[in-house]
Amino acid sequence: MYEEQLVYIDSSYMMFYGGAAVLALVACIYLLFRRSNAIVPGITPPLRLRRWTAAFFAVMFLSHLWWWLIIHYALIGDLWLNFMVAASLDCLMVVPTLIAVMVVMLQDRRRPLWPIAVIQVSVVAFFAVCIPQRSNTIVPLIQYYFLFLGVGFIIYMVLALRQYRLWLCDNYADLEHKEIRYSLMALVVGLLFNVFYLSGTTGMVAQYAVQAFDYMFVILLLWRVETLQTLDDTLTPMPGLEAEAAVSTMVSPTTLPPDIDLLLEGRVEATQLYLRHDIKIGDLCKAIGTNRSYLSLYFKRQNTTYNAYINGLRIQHFIRLYREAVAAKRTFTVQQLAEESGFRNYATFGKAFKQQMGETATAWMRDAAE
């Protein structure tokens, strides 16, 4: 199989191959040394995610480098052994760093990464047996193991994403630059690509397809990292409310204070606190002088979420602004009214409006005009 792969190598492919390596290196250097975001200047991506993604790009570059050395030079003197060493390096470095990037993208909590190292122990054992004995019989076992690992990790990420989305809805009204379902879909494709890679598929078309995927994957991953807003607690506390926020957030309540609805009405709805962009549940806790546990339980018992509560207030504010503008015969745009109602952009508004009202804003305004 390995001799057959060498037959397909030509200069145009090597240029294409080298371009993928250079792109990965440039992306790595950018993430490590560019402090500000050059792709979306208004977004501050998570620093930990930036570093792990830079590590993945670095490993991707090194992977291209050691395979290039094997293609041009049989460094260890044995073609089979060269390929097995390079494949083992890929399995031990590329795969775990890719998994780490996926896990770090979930910002609801800091998930431990040590299980990745534990999984790698079995990989080391596989290659420790395979390489010294020069045995091809264990190679299919390694391939099946990584296939099983990929499927298991996809299942884990689907469940983790569900928890993450619930957490976002419980804590943030504006989900723009926070949700990662599209990037996770792309990263699932990345795992499927690894399955394709481990299958040992040969041929020039397959080799070009692998490198084309590398180009797309580097660009897509870099774009997603730089458009994912960090969810660190960076919002400035509201003045004068620090003392009211002193209630511990570690409480697990079974009963609710009787005046939460009145506090929300007086300190959030009456003051139009919901018009603040990217307001989160912690800000409401400070405003009404309670803790996250009580407020989360309150929304749960109201059969709603923090996200739905805030956006519901914003939609009602939009409706009031719309009716006032129509009554006064003022010129306006829907986007302008949406921004004045607390929405960061029109796309977020449109999605929230349809969820709240059951129809698009355009359809609702058409019906209201009749």
Side-chain angles (χ1 to χ4, degrees):
M1 179 182 72
Y2 308 116
E3 289 82 358
E4 182 185 2
Q5 286 179 329
L6 289 179
V7 173
Y8 291 117
I9 303 303
D10 57 28
S11 59
S12 61
Y13 171 75
M14 289 309 300
M15 291 181 62
F16 194 57
Y17 180 91
V22 171
L23 181 62
L25 180 60
V26 170
C28 172
I29 294 173
Y30 165 81
L31 289 177
L32 286 177
F33 298 104
R34 172 85 185 197
R35 295 186 178 276
S36 58
N37 190 336
I39 297 177
V40 186
I43 299 298
T44 303
L47 180 60
R48 184 168 179 246
L49 176 60
R50 260 181 155 230
R51 290 172 176 172
W52 270 109
T53 308
F56 172 72
F57 288 149
V59 170
M60 180 181 284
F61 167 76
L62 292 175
S63 174
H64 281 76
L65 181 60
W66 61 60
W67 278 106
W68 178 81
L69 292 174
I70 284 176
I71 291 171
H72 285 275
Y73 311 100
L75 295 182
I76 307 177
D78 184 298
L79 184 59
W80 181 90
L81 194 57
N82 274 273
F83 270 85
M84 291 306 299
V85 169
S88 65
L89 289 174
D90 278 354
C91 293
L92 291 171
M93 298 182 67
V94 177
V95 174
T97 51
L98 175 58
I99 292 176
V101 169
M102 295 187 198
V103 173
V104 172
M105 274 190 178
L106 302 173
Q107 299 184 73
D108 53 334
R109 58 187 174 88
R110 180 169 288 220
R111 291 172 169 81
L113 300 179
W114 60 264
I116 301 175
V118 173
I119 293 173
Q120 294 303 99
V121 172
S122 56
V123 180
V124 172
F126 277 135
F127 284 105
V129 173
C130 180
I131 294 178
Q133 295 183 2
R134 301 179 57 80
S135 172
N136 281 327
T137 58
I138 202 172
V139 173
L141 189 60
I142 297 174
Q143 293 172 330
Y144 286 126
Y145 175 78
F146 273 94
L147 177 61
F148 173 78
L149 179 65
V151 172
F153 187 69
I154 289 173
I155 295 173
Y156 166 80
M157 288 303 294
V158 169
L159 297 176
L161 177 59
R162 182 178 181 275
Q163 294 177 339
Y164 182 70
R165 285 176 57 82
L166 291 174
W167 177 81
L168 285 174
C169 288
D170 285 343
N171 291 273
Y172 292 88
D174 185 357
L175 301 184
E176 185 192 16
H177 303 309
K178 300 179 181 65
E179 293 184 282
I180 58 172
R181 60 185 183 276
Y182 299 118
S183 56
L184 285 177
M185 290 171 57
L187 293 175
V188 166
V189 174
L191 287 177
L192 296 177
F193 163 77
N194 280 289
V195 172
F196 172 79
Y197 163 77
L198 290 167
S199 68
T201 305
T202 60
M204 204 60 186
V205 174
Q207 297 303 318
Y208 269 103
V210 168
Q211 299 310 314
F213 179 88
D214 283 347
Y215 279 93
M216 293 185 293
F217 194 60
V218 170
I219 294 172
L220 177 60
L221 190 55
L222 181 62
W223 170 82
R224 185 58 240 177
V225 169
E226 294 296 80
T227 56
L228 184 61
Q229 176 66 48
T230 183
L231 301 185
D232 293 336
D233 193 5
T234 55
L235 289 182
T236 303
M238 296 184 62
L241 295 175
E242 290 82 355
E244 293 180 298
V247 183
S248 172
T249 59
M250 301 302 292
V251 178
S252 298
T254 56
T255 60
L256 288 172
D259 57 347
I260 283 188
D261 52 347
L262 296 177
L263 290 172
L264 288 174
E265 182 179 349
R267 300 189 183 183
V268 177
E269 299 173 23
T271 61
Q272 298 185 341
L273 185 62
Y274 53 85
L275 296 182
R276 288 177 52 188
H277 290 305
D278 213 13
I279 185 174
K280 53 190 176 182
I281 194 170
D283 299 306
L284 259 65
C285 292
K286 295 173 184 177
I288 67 176
T290 188
N291 61 56
R292 186 186 301 265
S293 298
Y294 281 125
L295 196 53
S296 297
L297 181 60
Y298 170 81
F299 288 133
K300 183 177 181 181
R301 292 188 176 178
Q302 297 296 318
N303 197 28
T304 188
T305 65
Y306 167 77
N307 179 281
Y309 170 72
I310 291 295
N311 283 335
L313 294 176
R314 290 173 173 176
I315 295 300
Q316 294 305 314
H317 189 86
F318 169 86
I319 292 174
R320 287 195 299 272
L321 293 181
Y322 169 80
R323 287 174 174 166
E324 291 172 2
V326 170
K329 297 182 179 180
R330 293 198 306 268
T331 302
F332 65 89
T333 64
V334 177
Q335 184 172 357
Q336 175 189 352
L337 296 184
E339 291 177 356
E340 293 177 4
S341 300
F343 291 98
R344 188 184 297 274
N345 62 57
Y346 185 78
T348 303
F349 161 76
K351 182 178 179 181
F353 193 97
K354 189 170 183 179
Q355 288 177 343
Q356 184 78 17
M357 305 298 292
E359 59 182 343
T360 65
T362 302
W364 179 87
M365 287 186 293
R366 183 178 60 248
D367 295 339
E370 294 177 354

